[in-house]
Every structure is written in structure tokens, then in C-alpha cells.
Amino acid sequence: MTNSHSASYAAAGVNIEAGYEGVKLMKKHIARTVIPGVVSDIGGFGGMFAPDLTGMSAPIFVSGTDGVGTKQRIAQLLDKHDTVGIDCVAMCVNDIICCGAKPLFFLDYIAIGKNEPEKVATLVSGVAEGCVQAGCALIGGETAEHPGTMAPDDYDLAGFSVGVVDKSRLIDNSTMTAGDVILALPSSGIHSNGYSLVRKVFDVENAALDKYYDELGATLGETLLTPTKIYVKPVLAAIEAADVRGISHITGGGFYENLPRAIPDGLGAKIDLAAIKTPAIFSLLRSVGNIPERDMFNTYNMGVGMSLIVSAQTADAAIAALRGMGEDAYVIGEIVAGEEKVTLC
């Protein structure tokens, strides 16, 4: 029990006691994420984790950091803060799994205009849920109250994750060849990219976010706030079952920016547009915003949250493993020889 209190700091807009209350409220959520290897409890100066490196001859640690971006403005407008933490975790762990690394632990950072302990705990509950989905531990974080530089209701959520992979199992595209198959793992929607354009197109500050759309099967606000899907466990299953040669997390920059990151020089991705299963929100966004098709595929995932490049001989095994984990994986293209990195046809 601490007797820490500063009336002068409180008069400047920072309530350190609210911070202590927030930590107290979030502990039950953090407890859900505890896995073997967690050494420290929340509240120390550093989060500690002892990884089990058994069976690894040359372990490589892989790290990733990201935030939720302007999607969190939708959460603020709807006063719904329990899902953006999932987005925060997803944006980090979905990146490091592209190397074949299993996420071990996560830390979050919340900058907030006014520290409301219940809101902070709700934000952390989403982070904890994301960690549970990814199979990693939430071992620390930071909440910073920013009076005078942020509006009281504003916040920014970011995070950082570390994973590990044995060097012999690193996914590094070194064995990729023409004829390899490109698989799609469906997205849950827009995920966490391109929301500056989303907010402009739908004029969210003035829009009726509670308006129901038949084609969406939900309100606009519910659809825009759908959490980013976390692909860690299905991808790890595919790696075990098949010869996975490249993985791309389709985030900001869409197909044109993210697919090339997993493909070596001299090869490119040939994508069958007709094969892609695109959720209705993208059609609505394109129609309302009068956005060219090229821009859509250069900004959004268009229904493909993650792509795996596998050998043709093991494509069926990969699909079976992914579907066994609940992912409706399917073929969207192949790797071809040439300097054109992405061809949509």
C-alpha cells in the first residue's frame, strides 16, 4: 500500500492516485495472459520473462512495435474501448509471425488526456484478450497522463512484442521459387490501417455511426470497430504442416507494398482478383469515397489479412492445417518469374 500523493502535481492535471487505481483494476485482465516464462508481476520497473529455448540451436529474437492509429477515434466516438487493445496486439504479433517467430510477451503504452482508471482498465482488457489469442504474456506497460497536450477524452495506444524462432526455422524466402502457391487468410474487415481515409470518406465526426446497413449486417460503427484478426496460432500450425516459404501481413500499403516484402528479387506475385473474397465494407467504402481500385488495393487488405506462400506440393496440407484452426484459407495466386512484384489480373 502506497501513501504517494502530490497535491501540486494533481493541480497541474496529473492524478497519480488514479494511476494506482488503474493498475489495481487491470491486474485481473493481465492475469489471464500469464504463461510459462513469466517472472515478474506488474508494477516493477521492468517486465521479466525467461524463455524456454529447449530444442533451439540458434534462437533468434524477433520484435515488433505498432499502434492502433486513427481507428481509436472511432472507439472514442462510440465510447467503446474494449476492442482496440486487440488491434494493438494484432499489429505487432502479426508482423513477427511473418518470420515464423512465436510471440512470447507484450508491453503496452497508453497516453491519455485524463486518467480515468475504469477506461484504462477497459483498454488493457482488450490488450489482454489480444495476448490470449496470440498465446503471449502481457508483462508490463505504461500509462501516461498528458493534461494540456491531449483533450481529456483522447488517448493513444501503442505496444511492443518479442518472439523467438530457431534460425533453422526462420521464414526468409530463401527457398521460394516460381510455381509456389499464394494462400489468403481472410481478414475480419478493415483491420487497423487506412482509417484516416475511412474517417474522411464517412465523415465520422458527423456521421450516424449507429446507422444499420443491410449489406454489412451491422451498424457502420460496429463494422469499423471490428478488431483486427490475430493469425499467430493458425500460421504456426501451417508452418508445422507445410513448406511455408514466405508470409506477408497485409497492412497499410495493401497488396502492392506488403506482398513484395516476402518475395526475393527476380520473382513476383500473380494474384487472381476474381478469387479474392472481399467483405462488403470495402465495396461501401470504395463507392461512397469514389476510390479507384488501384488505390483500394494499395491501401487496404481487401479481405486478405495475411498471405502465405507455400510450395505447390504442400499447399493442400497448409490449407488443411489452417482450416483446422478455423481459418477459411484459399488460393489467390502464384509466384512467377519476373521483375514485376505484384500483378493483379
Side-chain angles (χ1 to χ4, degrees):
M1 187 73 177
T2 179
N3 63 355
S4 176
H5 173 73
S6 171
S8 298
Y9 208 9
V14 177
N15 185 347
I16 56 177
E17 292 171 297
Y20 301 143
E21 179 64 18
V23 170
K24 179 181 176 182
L25 293 174
M26 68 179 69
K27 281 192 172 184
K28 65 180 179 181
H29 304 298
I30 296 168
R32 296 179 57 216
T33 76
V34 174
I35 61 174
V38 174
V39 175
S40 58
D41 194 7
I42 296 299
F45 287 100
M48 292 181 281
F49 191 91
D52 180 1
L53 304 179
T54 304
M56 294 189 184
S57 59
I60 295 175
F61 291 98
V62 182
S63 61
T65 185
D66 209 335
V68 182
T70 63
K71 180 176 184 174
Q72 60 201 7
R73 181 57 184 159
I74 309 296
Q76 291 163 6
L77 289 168
L78 293 173
D79 194 24
K80 183 175 175 11
H81 312 287
D82 61 338
T83 62
V84 288
I86 300 174
D87 292 293
C88 187
V89 175
M91 296 306 293
C92 298
V93 299
N94 285 347
D95 275 355
I96 66 176
I97 195 64
C98 290
C99 301
K102 182 186 186 301
L104 298 174
F105 58 82
F106 189 87
L107 291 89
D108 61 19
Y109 175 80
I110 302 169
I112 193 165
K114 177 178 173 58
N115 191 340
E116 300 175 30
E118 293 80 7
K119 181 187 284 188
V120 171
T122 301
L123 286 166
V124 173
S125 75
V127 175
E129 173 59 27
C131 288
V132 169
Q133 291 182 24
C136 66
L138 177 57
I139 64 169
E142 176 72 13
T143 302
E145 196 168 16
H146 289 180
T149 63
M150 300 177 75
D153 290 337
D154 284 349
Y155 59 80
D156 190 28
L157 175 61
F160 171 86
S161 185
V162 171
V164 66
V165 60
D166 195 24
K167 186 176 182 180
S168 64
R169 308 199 69 182
L170 191 67
I171 308 296
D172 62 3
N173 76 31
S174 60
T175 60
M176 194 177 298
T177 63
D180 287 346
V181 175
I182 304 173
L183 304 180
L185 277 64
S187 71
S188 57
I190 297 177
H191 282 185
S192 300
N193 300 102
Y195 272 79
S196 293
L197 180 55
V198 167
R199 293 184 301 111
K200 177 178 182 292
V201 167
F202 291 118
D203 187 20
V204 298
E205 299 293 331
N206 302 303
L209 291 173
D210 60 352
K211 179 180 177 181
Y212 185 89
Y213 287 79
D214 288 336
E215 62 266 46
L216 301 179
T219 66
L220 178 62
E222 288 170 339
T223 302
L224 295 181
L225 208 53
T226 301
T228 304
K229 190 181 285 188
I230 291 175
Y231 297 99
V232 171
K233 294 176 183 179
V235 169
L236 287 174
I239 291 171
E240 288 295 324
D243 181 7
V244 178
R245 298 177 171 182
I247 306 175
S248 291
H249 183 200
I250 312 300
T251 56
F255 282 55
Y256 288 102
E257 181 176 319
N258 292 291
L259 286 175
R261 297 168 69 177
I263 301 173
D265 292 343
L267 297 175
K270 183 179 180 182
I271 304 296
D272 179 6
L273 275 173
I276 297 174
K277 303 172 184 178
T278 303
I281 183 60
F282 294 106
S283 299
L284 181 64
L285 177 62
R286 182 181 178 188
S287 174
V288 174
N290 192 29
I291 303 171
E293 181 180 71
R294 164 76 192 216
D295 287 358
M296 291 294 294
F297 277 89
N298 209 157
T299 308
Y300 298 106
N301 67 65
M302 300 303 287
V304 182
M306 183 82 76
S307 73
L308 270 62
I309 299 168
V310 302
S311 67
Q313 295 79 10
T314 64
D316 288 343
I319 291 173
L322 290 163
R323 290 181 176 173
M325 296 294 292
E327 287 297 327
D328 186 21
Y330 61 97
V331 176
I332 57 169
E334 65 175 339
I335 296 297
V336 295
E339 296 304 319
E340 187 70 30
K341 278 299 178 186
V342 179
T343 304
L344 275 59
C345 55

